Each structure stands twice: as C-alpha cells, then as structure tokens.
Amino acid sequence: MPKASRNPTQRPRSRERSEAQRSIEPRTGRDVAERILSIGVVAFVAIAVLGFAATMLHIGLRDTVPLFASVAWQYAYWLPLLALPAAIVCLVALVLVSAAGKARRRR
C-alpha cells in the first residue's frame, strides 16, 4: 500500500485543518456547558478517589504514624460524601445537555 503524500500542496496541514474547522463551526453555549460539565465530572471523581485513599490511610495508619493521627485526616472522610453526589449531578446534567443538543441537531 503506498504511503500518503507529504506534499503540502496536496493536503492541508493539521493545524490549518483545525483552524478551518473552528472558523466553520462557531462555539455555542451548549459546547461550553458540555466542556465545563465534563471537566466537573472528572474533577469530582478524582476528589472522591483521593478522599477514599486519604480515609484508608487515616484508618490504617493512625495508630502507628503520628502524621495520620492528626485531625485534618479525619475530614478526608467528607470528601467522597460531597464529591460523589456532585459528580453524579454533573454527569446527569451533561447527559441531558448532550441529548438536548443532539435532538435539536436532528430537527
């Protein structure tokens, strides 16, 4: 199978293609909302996982390591309890916004 040509006159560069796509499709509020919600889902899930890990460290090492016996580690218990519901709310909102956008594009 022959290789694709590297001649710049035969195909545009990837940067030029991406700039051309941006100029064709303007960014809408729905796109911005989807991006913010997806970042929120990832951030809240990461916070929840870190909270779980911190809680396990506190429970497992509080009797042997003085650092893990401090009061600050006890508050790590609350991180998953707050971050997981927030991630679920962001995920549901993301699905609804995405579905509404696809339904409008189909009309």
Side-chain angles (χ1 to χ4, degrees):
M1 185 176 244
K3 288 185 174 181
S5 175
R6 295 229 179 243
N7 188 346
T9 60
Q10 292 183 357
R11 63 181 176 146
R13 292 182 181 169
S14 61
R15 181 180 294 164
E16 292 171 359
R17 265 187 271 149
S18 65
E19 289 174 2
Q21 282 181 336
R22 286 187 202 135
S23 65
I24 293 171
E25 295 181 22
R27 186 179 284 183
T28 63
R30 182 177 300 112
D31 295 335
V32 173
E34 285 178 355
R35 180 168 290 188
I36 290 171
L37 287 170
S38 63
I39 291 171
V41 168
V42 171
F44 285 129
V45 168
I47 290 171
V49 168
L50 289 175
F52 280 127
T55 302
M56 293 297 121
L57 286 173
H58 171 69
I59 291 172
L61 300 174
R62 67 180 167 202
D63 294 332
T64 57
V65 180
L67 173 70
F68 292 109
S70 67
V71 177
W73 288 92
Q74 295 172 5
Y75 292 110
Y77 173 77
W78 290 95
L79 287 176
L81 293 177
L82 299 175
L84 279 178
I88 291 170
V89 167
C90 284
L91 183 63
V92 169
L94 177 63
V95 168
L96 292 176
V97 167
S98 177
K102 286 182 182 181
R104 283 196 180 166
R105 284 185 212 133
R106 287 184 195 147
R107 283 193 223 170

